[in-house]
């Protein structure tokens, strides 16, 4: 309490304050009667009329015994009166009196002798209705017993919020005697609490009269200074019979057991929620970096202010097969970082960076021991074992890092890396429960990261195989310009079996091939290579397109995988293209100056079905005309009808003519999403003029 506040309190104590009606004296209606030495009434208070029924005019000058006492009690009254007047001894007790209305009432008396300045003797009688007094005494006794024997803490504070009553239970709770509370404010008794908030609530209760029930307060008292306790505190305004505000009463119940049980239950629920969230959000795509980022985003902000995933570089390179080494430094690669706010905690940390940590670093200790490393309170010496560099340690200190937790990422028997968690703004240090929770999340995430790295490894091998089997830059062709593009599937899917080929033939002809082996992975890529090799061999035989497909159908029958294919042969001297289809989507013909159209070809059955004939269609392809061959990954989606997607393809091509390579890129940007589940092969051929060859009116025909 400040000096000014103390001065105001002292000034308030010296001030004369009138008592409003409704106090205890008013409730008892205490009467005052003065008798002279002969027993006559010489003074009569207004309250005496309420107790005895007589007005002052009726009572003054009358002998009190004759007026108020029954005949059988007159002798006793005169004897008691004489003792008081002669000896000066006080007399107190209950006595039956005769009321003006004729009834007999028991009245509580207090009689004392008075002397005036002339030596005259008088008797003062203080009287109250016995029944009323007894009821008040009973209420007071009951209230006192209830307060003193209550198992909960009870206190009464006056309107200035100073203690005026404290029961034994509150003495035990606070660890301070009741006498040391009286006259003091809460801030003087319990300075370690949020006293401003408590007094703010009490003032509001005093002002409005609205009780505040079951408000939680957590803190430490002198009774148990080393442990936090929780109390349920209630406040209500206390008023006298006439509405006079006496103060604010508070009741305090120790609910620490319930509080910690609730905290434990909430933590368990939070733990289950976070684990469920991690299960749903981590590992949505078979991509190592994406999975690591998902893990950090789950951990922030519910578990940490900053989360980072660092994976052993040897694990990513598949050089590590038997878990972590027992000693020595480790090379880590940061895959993902997530933060609640912009902070120096991430200074110098970027995804993709590689850094070597010595054996004494906490992150290295985590992978070597395969155990969580918990530092509830980070000290200066710990910063050097956490940071990436001396400058990093300074940045961590500046950012206010005070709690650190690292848990290993273990899949099977192999340690993949570490999930690091840091707190600076979060007021709670990491504890064992946090370590267990982080460990459970990390265990689930480690499996997803391991699956992703193996998938990426297999996928990279398949993609490498597939790209190696696809043709390189096409040779110089007569009367034909071609552009091609291959795009693998989105990262969440395996590589497929899409392929294309451009094969120069005799007499300046060119074979154009596009196909799709159903399925994915290395098997699909390998079978694609077999079909491409077979197609090149058959093309050299100068067979008709339907005959090539018939031979490929027999080849595919032994591969245990179906495939779709389009085989076309372009003759630049005749301006003619002959084409056959084996279950593939129709090509698009873009004639110079006309709208694009889908070629109306017999669909045919996929290669490998067997026994289904194929048919060749012939149509003119004049200079400037383009033939667009593509696999289904360009147009198919999981949600849109294929007819709508083919219309979209035509609309996309029906615009300003772009160069061939640019057209490939334009189609992929317009029709593909990066996460599409299938790969795409795209081949565009444009007829070019040859001197001496006349352009013919296009007339498709079947052969």
């Amino acid at each position: 309490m400040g000096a000014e506040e103390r001065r105001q309190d002292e000034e308030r104590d010296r001030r004369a304050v009138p008592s409003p009606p409704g106090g205890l004296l008013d409730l008892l209606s205490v009467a005052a009667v003065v008798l002279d030495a002969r027993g006559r009434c010489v003074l009569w208070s207004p309250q005496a009329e309420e107790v005895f029924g007589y007005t002052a005019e009726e009572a003054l000058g009358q002998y009190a015994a004759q007026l108020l006492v029954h005949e059988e009690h007159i002798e006793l009254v005169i004897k008691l009166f004489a003792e008081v007047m002669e000896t000066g001894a006080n007399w107190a007790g209950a006595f039956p009196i005769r009321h003006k209305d004729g009834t007999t009432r028991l009245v509580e008396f207090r009689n004392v002798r008075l002397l005036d300045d002339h030596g005259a003797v008088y008797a003062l009688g203080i009287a109250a209705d016995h029944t009323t007094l007894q009821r008040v005494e009973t209420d007071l006794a009951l209230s006192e017993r209830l307060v003193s024997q209550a198992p909960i803490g009870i206190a009464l504070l006056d309107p200035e919020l100073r203690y005026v009553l404290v029961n034994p239970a509150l003495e035990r709770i606070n660890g301070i005697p009741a006498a040391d509370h009286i006259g003091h404010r809460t801030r003087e008794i319990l300075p370690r609490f949020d006293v401003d908030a408590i007094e703010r609530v009490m003032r509001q209760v005093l002002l409005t009269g609205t009780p505040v029930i079951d408000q939680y307060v957590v803190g430490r008292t002198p009774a148990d200074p080393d442990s936090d306790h929780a109390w349920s505190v209630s406040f209500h305004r206390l008023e006298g019979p006439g509405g006079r505000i006496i103060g604010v009463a508070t009741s305090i119940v120790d609910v620490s057991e319930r509080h910690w049980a609730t905290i434990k239950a909430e933590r368990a629920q939070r733990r289950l929620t976070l684990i469920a969230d991690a299960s749903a959000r981590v590992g949505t795509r078979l991509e190592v970096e994406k999975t690591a980022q998902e893990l950090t985003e789950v951990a922030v902000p519910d578990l940490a202010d900053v989360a980072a995933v660092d994976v052993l570089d040897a694990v990513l390179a598949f050089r590590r097969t038997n878990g972590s080494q027992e000693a020595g430094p480790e090379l880590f690669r940061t895959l993902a970082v997530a933060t609640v706010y912009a902070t120096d905690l991430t200074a110098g940390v970027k995804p993709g960076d590689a850094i070597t940590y010595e054996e004494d670093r906490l992150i290295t200790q985590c992978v070597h021991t395969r155990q969580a490393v918990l530092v509830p309170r980070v000290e200066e010496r710990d910063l050097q074992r956490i940071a990436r560099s001396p400058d990093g340690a300074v940045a961590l200190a500046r950012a206010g890092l005070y709690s650190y937790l690292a848990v290993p990422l273990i899949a099977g028997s192999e340690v993949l890396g570490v999930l690091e968690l840091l707190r600076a703004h979060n007021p709670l240090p990491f504890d064992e429960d946090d370590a267990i929770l982080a460990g459970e999340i990390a265990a689930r995430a480690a499996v997803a990261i391991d699956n992703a790295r193996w998938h990426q490894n297999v996928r990279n091998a398949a993609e490498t195989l597939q790209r190696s089997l696809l043709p390189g830059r096409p040779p110089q062709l007569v009367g034909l310009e071609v552009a091609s593009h291959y795009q693998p599937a989105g990262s969440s899917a395996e590589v497929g079996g899409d392929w294309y080929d451009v094969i120069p033939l005799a007499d300046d002809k060119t074979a154009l091939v596009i196909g799709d082996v159903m399925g994915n992975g290395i098997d699909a890529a390998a079978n694609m290579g077999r079909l491409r090799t077979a197609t090149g061999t058959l093309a050299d035989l100068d067979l008709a397109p339907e005959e090539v497909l018939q031979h490929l159908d027999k080849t595919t029958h032994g591969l245990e995988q179906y495939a779709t294919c389009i085989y076309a042969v372009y003759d630049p001297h005749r301006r003619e293209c002959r084409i056959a289809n084996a279950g593939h989507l129709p090509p698009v013909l873009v004639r110079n100056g006309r709208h694009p159209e889908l070629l109306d070809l017999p669909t045919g059955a996929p290669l490998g079905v067997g026994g289904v004939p194929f048919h060749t269609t012939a149509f003119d392809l004049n200079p400037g005309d383009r033939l667009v061959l593509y696999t289904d990954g360009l147009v198919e989606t999981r949600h849109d009808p294929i007819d709508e997607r083919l219309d979209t393809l035509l609309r996309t091509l029906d615009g300003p003519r772009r160069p061939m390579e640019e057209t490939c890129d334009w189609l992929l940007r317009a029709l593909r999403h990066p996460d599409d589940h299938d790969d795409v092969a795209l081949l565009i051929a444009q007829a070019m003029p040859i001197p001496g060859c006349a352009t013919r009116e296009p007339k498709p025909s079947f052969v």
Side-chain angles (χ1 to χ4, degrees):
M1 183 187 302
E4 177 61 23
E5 190 176 6
R6 190 179 300 108
R7 186 193 64 77
Q8 292 176 359
D9 285 348
E10 292 173 354
E11 177 65 25
R12 193 182 300 108
D13 292 340
R14 290 193 295 268
R15 193 182 307 138
V17 180
S19 176
L24 183 59
L25 293 178
D26 292 326
L27 177 64
L28 294 174
S29 190
V30 176
V33 177
V34 177
L35 307 181
D36 62 13
R38 293 186 294 172
R40 290 186 307 168
C41 299
V42 295
L43 294 174
W44 191 266
S45 73
Q47 289 77 16
E49 182 176 350
E50 296 180 26
V51 176
F52 303 113
Y54 297 98
T55 66
E57 291 78 5
E58 294 172 328
L60 291 174
Q62 301 293 325
Y63 286 98
Q66 295 177 355
L67 183 66
L68 303 175
V69 180
H70 291 285
E71 292 182 1
E72 64 268 27
H73 298 140
I74 287 180
E75 184 176 346
L76 176 59
V77 168
I78 292 174
K79 179 182 178 182
L80 294 174
F81 178 73
E83 289 180 3
V84 171
M85 300 298 284
E86 291 175 2
T87 66
N90 298 335
W91 181 86
F95 202 91
I97 60 95
R98 182 173 60 201
H99 194 269
K100 179 181 177 181
D101 61 10
T103 60
T104 299
R105 299 187 181 182
L106 197 61
V107 175
E108 190 77 18
F109 282 97
R110 294 295 184 271
N111 294 316
V112 296
R113 188 177 69 176
L114 300 178
L115 295 174
D116 66 9
D117 57 351
H118 299 292
V121 180
Y122 298 88
L124 170 64
I126 303 297
D129 182 77
H130 179 74
T131 303
T132 301
L133 181 62
Q134 193 174 47
R135 185 180 72 250
V136 171
E137 288 178 342
T138 301
D139 291 345
L140 289 174
L142 180 60
S143 299
E144 183 181 359
R145 291 293 182 182
L146 285 174
V147 171
S148 63
Q149 297 181 11
I152 65 175
I154 297 176
L156 174 63
L157 297 93
D158 64 18
E160 305 303 326
L161 303 184
R162 294 172 298 191
Y163 286 100
V164 295
L165 181 147
V166 172
N167 75 336
L170 188 57
E171 280 186 300
R172 294 189 294 272
I173 290 173
N174 289 346
I176 299 173
D180 293 344
H181 286 74
I182 306 306
H184 295 282
R185 286 191 170 90
T186 305
R187 69 177 61 253
E188 300 172 277
I189 302 300
L190 303 171
R192 298 173 67 179
F193 281 73
D194 185 2
V195 181
D196 289 337
I198 295 173
E199 291 191 346
R200 190 161 52 247
V201 171
M202 289 194 289
R203 288 192 180 94
Q204 187 68 18
V205 170
L206 281 171
L207 178 65
T208 65
T210 303
V212 173
I213 307 298
D214 197 23
Q215 185 175 65
Y216 261 49
V217 175
V218 178
R220 300 182 181 186
T221 68
D224 188 6
D226 299 325
S227 302
D228 283 331
H229 285 257
W231 294 276
S232 171
V233 183
S234 299
F235 304 96
H236 66 276
R237 190 169 73 184
L238 199 62
E239 301 175 359
R244 180 173 66 91
I245 297 176
I246 298 174
V248 59
T250 177
S251 58
I252 302 167
V253 181
D254 192 326
V255 293
S256 298
E257 185 175 345
R258 183 180 76 186
H259 174 73
W260 300 125
T262 301
I263 294 295
K264 186 176 181 180
E266 289 176 350
R267 280 190 173 184
Q269 182 61 44
R270 165 174 158 265
R271 180 173 172 176
L272 291 174
T273 300
L274 202 56
I275 291 173
D277 190 33
S279 299
R281 293 173 55 190
V282 178
T284 60
R285 291 167 55 179
L286 288 170
E287 187 176 349
V288 173
E289 291 79 4
K290 177 65 175 178
T291 303
Q293 188 64 38
E294 290 169 342
L295 173 57
T296 59
E297 290 173 356
V298 164
V300 171
D302 290 335
L303 198 54
D305 294 335
V306 175
V309 172
D310 296 279
V311 174
L312 292 163
D313 192 68
V315 167
L316 294 175
F318 287 88
R319 298 194 303 270
R320 205 177 184 93
T321 57
N322 296 317
S324 62
Q325 63 188 56
E326 295 182 356
E330 295 284 2
L331 177 62
F332 290 86
R333 190 170 297 276
T334 300
L335 296 187
V337 179
T339 65
V340 180
Y341 52 89
T343 173
D344 285 346
L345 291 173
T346 58
V349 180
K350 292 187 297 184
D353 286 352
I355 185 169
T356 299
Y357 286 98
E358 297 300 326
E359 185 179 358
D360 63 337
R361 297 297 185 90
L362 297 184
I363 187 173
T364 310
Q365 177 184 330
C366 183
V367 297
H368 284 174
T369 63
R370 306 166 70 96
Q371 300 292 325
V373 176
L374 172 62
V375 185
R377 299 287 183 181
V378 173
E379 298 181 4
E380 185 175 354
R381 66 175 181 273
D382 299 316
L383 293 174
Q384 298 295 335
R385 303 179 65 199
I386 296 172
R388 294 183 166 227
S389 64
D391 290 342
V394 174
L396 293 179
R398 183 171 59 246
L401 173 66
Y402 77 92
S403 196
Y404 174 85
L405 174 61
V407 292
L409 296 165
I410 302 175
S413 61
E414 188 167 13
V415 179
L416 307 181
V418 173
L419 169 63
E420 288 188 289
L421 304 172
L422 296 83
R423 284 180 180 173
H425 281 192
N426 189 319
L428 298 177
F430 288 113
D431 58 20
E432 292 295 338
D433 284 343
D434 293 320
I436 293 172
L437 175 57
E440 292 183 6
I441 295 174
R444 286 166 169 78
V447 174
I449 291 174
D450 195 44
N451 290 339
R453 75 181 180 114
W454 280 104
H455 170 79
Q456 284 187 199
N457 184 59
V458 173
R459 183 179 184 279
N460 291 340
E463 185 175 337
T464 301
L465 173 61
Q466 184 165 16
R467 288 190 181 277
S468 69
L469 295 175
L470 291 173
R473 188 173 184 84
Q476 189 71 30
L477 303 171
V478 177
L480 196 66
E481 182 181 350
V482 297
S484 60
H485 192 91
Y486 171 75
Q487 180 169 306
S491 60
S492 63
E494 291 185 334
V495 172
D498 292 18
W499 94 94
Y500 63 89
D501 209 346
V502 179
I503 307 171
L505 304 176
D507 301 326
D508 297 331
K509 296 177 184 178
T510 301
L512 303 172
V513 189
I514 196 158
D516 182 3
V517 176
M518 298 179 185
N520 48 43
I522 291 180
D523 289 342
N527 287 333
M528 176 271 289
R530 294 188 182 100
L531 286 176
R532 178 171 177 261
T533 301
T535 303
T537 302
L538 293 169
D540 288 340
L541 301 178
D542 196 21
L543 300 174
E546 76 270 16
E547 293 177 317
V548 172
L549 294 184
Q550 287 170 2
H551 286 288
L552 291 177
D553 181 49
K554 294 177 183 178
T555 301
T556 309
H557 189 68
L559 300 180
E560 298 183 353
Q561 277 183 309
Y562 297 115
T564 65
C565 182
I566 284 181
Y567 184 84
V569 176
Y570 176 63
D571 185 342
H573 299 289
R574 300 182 61 185
R575 307 293 193 201
E576 183 183 65
C577 185
R578 294 161 57 84
I579 188 168
N581 186 3
H584 204 84
L585 289 173
V588 177
L589 179 60
V590 186
R591 293 198 183 279
N592 196 11
R594 299 188 185 182
H595 296 297
E597 58 180 332
L598 295 172
L599 280 179
D600 187 10
L601 303 178
T603 304
L607 301 177
V609 173
V612 179
F614 302 99
H615 302 279
T616 297
T617 299
F619 61 93
D620 293 334
L621 194 67
N622 290 310
D625 293 347
R626 288 182 177 181
L627 183 65
V628 180
L629 305 173
Y630 56 92
T631 55
D632 56 5
L634 180 67
V635 292
E636 285 188 350
T637 70
R638 298 179 180 180
H639 310 291
D640 303 308
I642 187 61
D643 290 343
E644 293 182 5
R645 294 291 294 168
L646 290 173
D647 288 342
T648 302
L649 171 61
L650 294 177
R651 288 195 301 273
T652 304
L653 288 168
D654 191 15
R657 176 162 290 207
R658 295 176 169 84
M660 302 274 281
E661 293 290 346
E662 188 177 330
T663 300
C664 290
D665 294 338
W666 167 249
L667 288 175
L668 291 169
R669 287 197 304 270
L671 299 175
R672 287 273 292 175
H673 186 277
D675 292 335
D676 280 349
H677 67 286
D678 203 359
D679 49 356
V680 175
L682 181 60
L683 178 62
I684 302 178
Q686 178 175 314
M688 304 299 290
I690 297 179
C693 291
T695 300
R696 295 182 295 177
E697 184 68 21
K699 294 180 180 179
S701 62
F702 292 101
V703 177

